[in-house]
């Protein structure tokens, strides 16, 4: 039993981080990057805290990836001075980006269109700023990025290389379609697409005289299943620090590597209806349906006891402050009103974002409380 | 055009409240309660701000309903002194509830089991506190509450009436199954269930000598479709202040009554793939799939221009900071990178909870910024 989690001073629902698991996850990914000889530029959007970003580097700081300018500014304030903002930047945010770029060693921005390049060029003329930019490349996810097989992509890259308003740094892709897989073999195939899309495009651009481009990849599924990183220069996984039920379902990790859970209290027991209620609802867990392409029927998370042993229960419905868990009457009888349970979330990034404070535990001790940056 | 929403000083994504629409929604519901002669005890969990709670009363304060103790404490600090905490209270929260009860006129708690009653009785003996309690009744939603037809429910009510540790105040139900309907006629049927479940149970208890129980009902769908409230004493709708795409889909309101939207910027345009990207993802909108029982195919919200005119676009995919909107190439061409759009959320309660600050606008003026209470 984990006595600290039974302590009523931790109000439920609460977001609990197992530090030893985070440390293992962090060390494994960092060591893989080191032995592969690539730049390790982990994403920090999953946790958004300075404390855990430092754990990603085994203490200290290093190059990071962020998903909002608010994160970029927060981490800059905490000594992280080499930052990639890995979402295409809207023209209305260039002024804030320029102010940030002035106070750190390096800020990399992302673009994938002539329109975005033109906006940056015009900004550059007006403000005398020259941004470091990556060209976003679509490796098959089809969310953002240029098609590396297209002539237009080559033309945009050439225009970026010749632009006076930007420093063209490299090619960046995100293999988000690795989340739509069913197993490790399928993830491995996508990991190949991810690197070959960039390397093929890099070669094509080299023929046009554009050289020294950095290739940047990153998704937790692909980064988790490869033995080592090859055909790339810079890697940006993020979710791996916590992992979650989704990642376990597709094979990026197993459930024992899930480092975070939501602590909840049973507030209602209805054996006649084969369900119980906990005080962790949609605001405590987020409403991510999980890997529904798998028919895994995991519901809105995996229900465990305080020792993180999985229970024969299904979290089927979330309303704002209620979680409805289905179980057989004999199981329900063992967890009366007042009992605390732990729920492994489907999507740790979205669940973490519901909390102003995280509780960090290890060996049944509450070690720390840390506060993420929020908003945009 | 709404020029304030084009102003880059409002960073996107942003949560925008149309004050005139909120005021109309608030006035209509309050006036319906007044002419029905019932106590109006609106829920504040949708917005969680003192400013909008005062609008629910046309200025000033009044009796309210909350979904967390953090809300209860916050609203007590803002002069609301008659509060129903409408989630079954876990035994670990009784101490905090008792501290709050001491500093306001009235705090009503909820219970639906012998176990919860026993926990309160024991607490009462130890601490000398006597809580005001409502018995939660299941009117067909089957989430929480006692079955009013059961003998056990009568026994629990009798035990509550005779308990020295609690003041038995009344019967409370929530017709959450009104959200699973397809149209106004179906909602009206559930509104009848909601009141008849309480009134029938009240009559049964009166035969047992338990009288003067308050009947409390509340759900936005049922409260919106009835002409007036009858067969009840106390009403607790909440979502009606903002409404949302879900409520419009089932017939509680129409889209013009939706008072909140997420302001977003186009950050990518891919006519060849028939989609564009906005900077409002799962953290800006929440990931509520909406009324999927209706096959309404509304996606993750309704996409509008700055004047809230609906556009022929579908918000199909949300990742953490990206929203992927499908549209025909000729439509996409009209909304280039940098354009701002507004998205009516599926579920305004969950979307509001993603923001630390709300922007309140009226007649193209930014009137106010208000900050909700968060957490538990």
């Amino acid at each position: 039993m984990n006595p600290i989690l039974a302590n009523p001073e931790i109000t439920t629902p609460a977001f609990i981080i197992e530090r030893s698991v985070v440390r293992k996850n962090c060390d494994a990914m960092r060591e893989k990057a080191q032995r592969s000889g690539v730049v390790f530029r982990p994403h920090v959007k999953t946790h958004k805290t300075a404390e855990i970003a430092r754990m990603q580097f085994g203490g200290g700081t290093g190059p990071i990836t962020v998903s909002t300018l608010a994160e970029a500014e927060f981490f800059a304030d905490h000594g992280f001075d080499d930052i990639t903002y890995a979402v295409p930047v809207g023209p209305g945010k260039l002024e804030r980006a320029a102010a940030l770029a002035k106070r750190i060693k390096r800020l990399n921005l992302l673009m994938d269109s002539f329109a975005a390049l033109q906006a940056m060029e015009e900004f550059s003329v007006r403000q005398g700023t020259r941004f470091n930019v990556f060209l976003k490349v679509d490796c098959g996810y089809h969310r953002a990025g240029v098609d590396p097989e297209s002539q237009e992509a080559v033309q945009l890259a050439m225009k970026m290389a010749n632009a006076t308003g930007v420093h063209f740094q490299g090619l960046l892709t995100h293999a988000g379609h690795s989340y739509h897989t069913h197993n490790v073999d399928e993830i491995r195939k996508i990991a190949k697409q991810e690197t070959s899309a960039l390397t093929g495009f890099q070669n094509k651009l080299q023929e046009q005289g554009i050289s020294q481009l950095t290739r940047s990849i990153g998704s937790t599924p692909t980064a988790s299943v490869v033995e080592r990183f090859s055909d790339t220069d810079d890697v940006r996984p993020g979710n791996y620090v916590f992992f979650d039920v989704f990642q376990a379902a597709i094979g990026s990790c197993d459930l024992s590597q899930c480092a975070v859970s939501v602590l909840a209290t049973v507030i209602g027991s209805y054996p006649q209806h084969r369900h119980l209620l906990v005080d962790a609802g949609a605001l405590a867990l987020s409403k991510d349906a999980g890997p529904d392409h798998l028919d895994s029927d995991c519901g809105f998370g995996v229900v465990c006891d305080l020792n993180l042993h999985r229970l024969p229960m299904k979290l089927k419905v979330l309303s704002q402050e209620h979680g409805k868990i289905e179980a057989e009457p004999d199981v329900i009888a063992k967890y009366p009103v007042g009992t605390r349970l732990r729920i492994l979330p489907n999507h740790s990034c979205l669940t973490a974002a519901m909390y102003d404070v995280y509780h960090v535990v290890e060996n049944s001790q509450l070690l720390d409380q840390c506060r993420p940056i929020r908003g945009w």
Side-chain angles (χ1 to χ4, degrees), chain A residues 147-161:
Chain A
D147 174 1
E149 303 293 328
S150 70
Q151 197 46 41
E152 203 183 315
V154 176
Q155 286 162 356
L156 178 56
M158 289 179 67
K159 196 158 183 183
M160 288 170 73

Side-chain angles (χ1 to χ4, degrees), chain A residues 351-371:
Chain A
T351 302
M354 306 312 289
Y355 292 84
D356 286 338
V357 61
Y358 306 156
H359 300 279
V360 183
V361 303
E362 187 169 323
N363 296 331
S364 305
Q365 299 249 331
L366 178 64
L367 296 177
D368 198 6
Q369 295 187 319
C370 52
R371 292 176 181 277

Side-chain angles (χ1 to χ4, degrees), chain A residues 102-342:
Chain A
K102 275 189 195 128
R103 67 183 177 97
I104 60 175
K105 200 177 79 190
R106 170 181 297 271
L107 176 68
N108 297 317
L109 300 181
L110 203 58
M111 67 162 67
D112 64 2
S113 68
F114 289 98
L117 178 58
Q118 190 183 336
M120 273 193 210
E121 289 269 75
E122 287 169 8
F123 184 89
S124 166
V125 168
R126 274 202 319 277
Q127 309 280 332
T129 304
R130 200 170 171 200
F131 289 111
N132 295 308
V133 294
F134 276 71
L135 176 58
K136 174 107 188 205
V137 175
D138 181 3
C139 68
Y141 182 29
H142 303 324
R143 183 178 70 181
V146 296
D147 174 1
E149 303 293 328
S150 70
Q151 197 46 41
E152 203 183 315
V154 176
Q155 286 162 356
L156 178 56
M158 289 179 67
K159 196 158 183 183
M160 288 170 73
N162 295 320
T164 52
V166 303
H167 290 289
F168 186 18
Q169 298 291 317
L171 309 173
L172 181 149
T173 196
H174 171 60
H177 51 321
S178 61
Y179 284 81
H180 305 147
T181 55
H182 300 76
N183 54 53
V184 170
D185 286 345
E186 289 182 19
I187 302 174
R188 287 214 174 97
K189 275 186 202 154
I190 287 173
K192 287 229 169 81
Q193 276 180 19
E194 190 183 20
T195 51
S196 64
L198 292 195
T199 301
F201 191 41
Q202 185 192 40
N203 291 340
K204 207 190 280 188
L205 295 178
Q206 214 143 20
E207 290 165 18
Q208 303 293 330
I210 308 173
S211 58
Q212 301 199 313
L213 291 180
T214 296
R215 293 162 300 175
S216 175
I217 62 167
S219 88
T220 283
T222 57
S224 298
V225 304
V226 297
E227 285 299 311
R228 50 182 288 134
F229 299 107
S230 54
D231 281 328
T232 191
D233 307 300
D234 178 277
V235 297
R236 313 181 323 277
N239 176 282
Y240 74 95
V241 295
F242 289 164
F243 283 124
D244 52 33
V245 171
F246 195 117
Q247 299 283 357
I250 60 172
S252 307
C253 67
D254 60 55
L255 281 182
S256 70
Q257 292 170 277
C258 294
V260 297
S261 60
V262 169
L263 183 67
T265 301
V266 176
I267 56 167
S269 179
Y270 315 91
Q272 72 280 21
H273 292 306
R274 295 174 190 267
H275 81 260
L276 49 79
L277 284 185
V278 290
D279 59 359
L283 289 194
L285 284 158
S286 86
K287 212 164 171 177
D288 197 295
D292 45 11
H293 67 290
L294 292 180
D295 290 326
S296 66
D297 197 23
C298 65
F300 286 102
V302 167
V303 185
C304 299
D305 66 14
L306 286 191
N307 294 316
L308 289 178
H309 296 132
R310 188 172 189 166
L311 300 176
M313 295 183 173
K314 275 186 186 153
L315 179 49
K316 295 290 275 189
V317 183
L318 293 180
S319 43
Q320 187 162 339
E321 297 294 347
H322 300 78
K324 185 173 175 178
I325 295 176
E326 291 182 1
E328 293 301 318
D330 60 319
V331 176
I332 289 175
K334 291 185 205 158
Y335 302 92
V337 167
T339 309
R340 289 188 165 192
L341 299 172
R342 295 172 80 175

